[in-house]
Amino acid sequence: MKVLWFSTEATRYSSQSVACYGSSGLIDALQDTLLENASIELGMAFLYDDKACKEKRGKVTYYPMLRKEMDALQKLFFYWYGYKKRSLDLLLPEMLDVINDFKPDVIQIFGIESPFACILGQVDIPVVVHLQGFLNPTSNAFYPQGMNHFTFLLKSFSYNEWFIRNGQNFAAKYMHVRSKTERKYMRHMQFSMGRTNWDRHITSILAPQSQYFHVGEMLRDEFAKAQPWKMPPLDKYILTSTISQTVYKGLDVILKTAKLLKEVTGLNFKWQVIGVQADHQYVRFFEKHCNIKSSEVNVEYEGICNAGQICNKLLESHVYVHPSYVDNSPNSLCEAQLIGLPVIGTYVGGIPSLVTHEKTGLLVPANDPYELTYWLQYLYQHPEIMIELGNAARATALIRHSKENIISDLLTIYRQISK
C-alpha cells in the first residue's frame, strides 16, 4: 500500500526540515515503527528551507517543498494587514503535483490546522487527518481571565507589539482568521483520527459528516525506553512544566501558584519551566502583569531542551504540572506519565481523557492556583500517593502509547478507508 504523508517536518530527511517550535520528532517515531512493521511504501511531503528535488531512500520517497519566505517589507505588511487577506491555499498546486507523482492509495495530513489541510475536498483519493490541535477552541481561550487586546498594549510597551505588530495580539488575530479557514476545511473532511473525547466532540460539531477513528499517539523513544521514575529525595521539592511561549499555556498560573507555595506553605521547592527563555519579553510581560518576579518565587526557565534533556529533568522531579488553558493531548504530559512521574493537569480539552483524577494523576480547574497549591502541598505531605499515581499513570501510558497497538490501529484505518 502506498501512503503519502503531508507534514511540516521530516527530520529523517534532514534536521533542517524541522519547522515546529521545539520540534519533538514524534513523526520520526511513527515513521520508523510503521516501516518496521508493515509492507508500506511511504511518501513524505514537507516544508523545507532550501530548494531540493524528490529523493527516494529505501521505502520512503521524500518530497521537499520550498518554504516561501517573505522579505522584511512583506512581513511588515503581513503583520499589519496582509494576514487578513493572505490565501492559505498557496501549497495546493505543488501538493497536487506530489500526489500525481506518488499516486498514493491513502493520504494522511498531520493537523487540521496545518497549511496542508487545503487538499481536503480537492482529490478523490481518501484523505485522513491526524488531529493535533484545533484553532477554533484555542482562539476562544486565547486570552486568560483578566487579559485582552489592550492588556498587551498597555502593559507590554514592546517594539514587537506596538510597531512590528507581530506579538501576542497578532497571534490572537491571525488565529481568529485561520479559524474561519479551519471550519471551511473541516466541512470537507471525510476521515479523521484522534485520541481524546475532546477531539472527537469537536469533530462531531464542526465535521459531522466525517468518520472518526481512535488512534494513540506515538511518543519519543527517549521516554519509552527510559528507566521508570523513582522518588528523589524530598529535601528540595522539584516541580516541572513544559510549555511554549504562548499566552494560553498558563505561565501566569505557574507564577501565582509559586507565590502561594512560597508564602503559604513554606516548602523548599524549585519550579523548572522547559520551553521558555528567561530573557524573553513573554516572561517580562507576565511578571509585570502578575506583579511577581520569577526569581523571587523559585521559578527557573530552562529554554528549549532536547528529548534526552527533558527526560533527565523529569526523572529528577517530583511532580509534572500542565497549567494550560486549552489543550488536546499534550505530549509533554503523556511523556511524564510514561516514565511514571505523577502529574497534575488542568481540566480542559482532551486532558481528562489522559488523566483520571486521583487514579492516574490529578486534575484542577484552569486558572485556579489555590486548588493547584493544595494538591502540590498534599503530594509533598503524602509521598506514597505520588508513587501510587506515578505507577498507575505509567501502567496506563504503556498501553495507550504501545507502538504495536498504534501501528495495528493505523494499518486498520488505512485498509478501511482505502476501500
Side-chain angles (χ1 to χ4, degrees), residues 315-378:
L315 289 171
E316 71 182 21
S317 304
H318 294 93
V319 183
Y320 176 83
V321 181
H322 197 77
S324 184
Y325 286 88
V326 61
D327 235 319
N328 183 19
S329 57
N331 290 313
S332 56
L333 184 146
C334 294
E335 289 166 346
Q337 287 185 309
L338 189 60
I339 67 172
L341 180 65
V343 302
I344 302 178
T346 45
Y347 197 99
V348 297
I351 295 177
S353 293
L354 307 174
V355 178
T356 302
H357 186 56
E358 296 191 78
K359 292 185 178 179
T360 61
L362 297 169
L363 293 171
V364 298
N367 191 29
D368 192 341
Y370 294 91
E371 185 76 357
L372 181 53
T373 298
Y374 167 80
W375 283 114
L376 287 171
Q377 183 181 41
Y378 178 86

Side-chain angles (χ1 to χ4, degrees), residues 61-109:
T61 304
Y62 292 99
Y63 292 91
M65 301 173 67
L66 182 63
R67 186 181 290 112
K68 298 175 176 62
E69 297 289 348
M70 295 180 282
D71 60 33
L73 190 59
Q74 289 173 324
K75 286 181 179 179
L76 187 61
F77 174 77
F78 178 71
Y79 295 142
W80 275 79
Y81 180 76
Y83 70 91
K84 299 178 182 179
K85 300 293 182 181
R86 192 185 190 199
S87 171
L88 296 179
D89 297 346
L90 298 175
L91 294 174
L92 184 57
E94 191 172 355
M95 292 177 69
L96 292 173
D97 289 341
V98 171
I99 293 169
N100 290 332
D101 182 79
F102 189 70
K103 297 179 174 56
D105 299 299
V106 174
I107 297 171
Q108 181 172 339
I109 299 169

Side-chain angles (χ1 to χ4, degrees), residues 148-158 161-162 169 285 288-289:
N148 56 32
H149 173 85
F150 296 103
T151 307
F152 285 88
L153 291 176
L154 298 176
K155 291 191 176 181
S156 178
F157 191 83
S158 70
E161 205 68 59
W162 278 82
N169 282 326
F285 166 78
K288 185 175 181 180
H289 179 75

Side-chain angles (χ1 to χ4, degrees), residues 249-267:
K249 288 298 183 179
L251 181 58
D252 54 322
V253 178
I254 291 176
L255 291 174
K256 292 173 185 176
T257 306
K259 183 178 181 181
L260 280 171
L261 281 172
K262 188 166 186 180
E263 293 180 348
V264 178
T265 70
L267 292 175

Side-chain angles (χ1 to χ4, degrees), residues 10-29:
T11 55
R12 287 290 179 263
Y13 177 83
S14 169
S15 59
Q16 182 181 331
S17 72
V18 177
C20 298
Y21 180 87
S23 179
S24 59
L26 300 173
I27 292 176
D28 292 344

Side-chain angles (χ1 to χ4, degrees), residues 136-260:
N136 279 273
T138 303
S139 179
N140 177 67
F142 190 91
Y143 291 114
Q145 183 179 1
M147 295 186 194
N148 56 32
H149 173 85
F150 296 103
T151 307
F152 285 88
L153 291 176
L154 298 176
K155 291 191 176 181
S156 178
F157 191 83
S158 70
Y159 190 76
N160 292 77
E161 205 68 59
W162 278 82
F163 302 106
I164 302 297
R165 297 286 288 270
N166 66 343
Q168 298 294 344
N169 282 326
F170 166 78
K173 290 185 288 187
Y174 190 37
M175 182 175 291
H176 179 70
V177 170
R178 292 172 60 208
S179 295
K180 297 178 181 178
T181 305
E182 180 185 71
R183 285 201 177 201
K184 181 184 76 172
Y185 290 154
M186 292 189 76
R187 288 197 292 269
H188 296 287
M189 188 168 69
Q190 291 181 303
F191 306 104
S192 63
M193 50 189 184
R195 299 155 297 289
T196 67
N197 286 333
W198 187 68
D199 62 30
R200 180 170 58 85
H201 296 164
I202 298 298
T203 303
S204 69
I205 295 170
L206 300 182
Q209 78 289 341
S210 68
Q211 185 173 357
Y212 178 91
F213 299 92
H214 183 276
V215 182
E217 189 81 299
M218 193 82 71
L219 297 184
R220 295 176 284 186
D221 283 343
E222 288 85 349
F223 300 91
K225 297 177 180 179
Q227 291 295 318
W229 173 81
K230 293 182 179 179
M231 172 79 73
L234 271 169
D235 53 332
K236 175 167 277 192
Y237 195 27
I238 300 178
L239 315 174
T240 299
S241 298
T242 300
I243 62 176
S244 61
Q245 294 173 164
T246 311
V247 179
Y248 51 83
K249 288 298 183 179
L251 181 58
D252 54 322
V253 178
I254 291 176
L255 291 174
K256 292 173 185 176
T257 306
K259 183 178 181 181
L260 280 171

Side-chain angles (χ1 to χ4, degrees), residues 281-343:
Q281 62 184 24
Y282 169 80
V283 174
R284 294 195 297 272
F285 166 78
F286 274 105
E287 287 183 334
K288 185 175 181 180
H289 179 75
C290 300
N291 195 26
I292 301 171
K293 291 287 290 183
S294 303
S295 58
E296 295 176 0
V297 294
N298 305 340
V299 175
E300 300 178 5
Y301 301 99
E302 306 294 335
I304 297 175
C305 301
N306 61 36
Q309 292 170 326
I310 296 174
C311 190
N312 290 334
K313 291 183 182 301
L314 291 178
L315 289 171
E316 71 182 21
S317 304
H318 294 93
V319 183
Y320 176 83
V321 181
H322 197 77
S324 184
Y325 286 88
V326 61
D327 235 319
N328 183 19
S329 57
N331 290 313
S332 56
L333 184 146
C334 294
E335 289 166 346
Q337 287 185 309
L338 189 60
I339 67 172
L341 180 65
V343 302

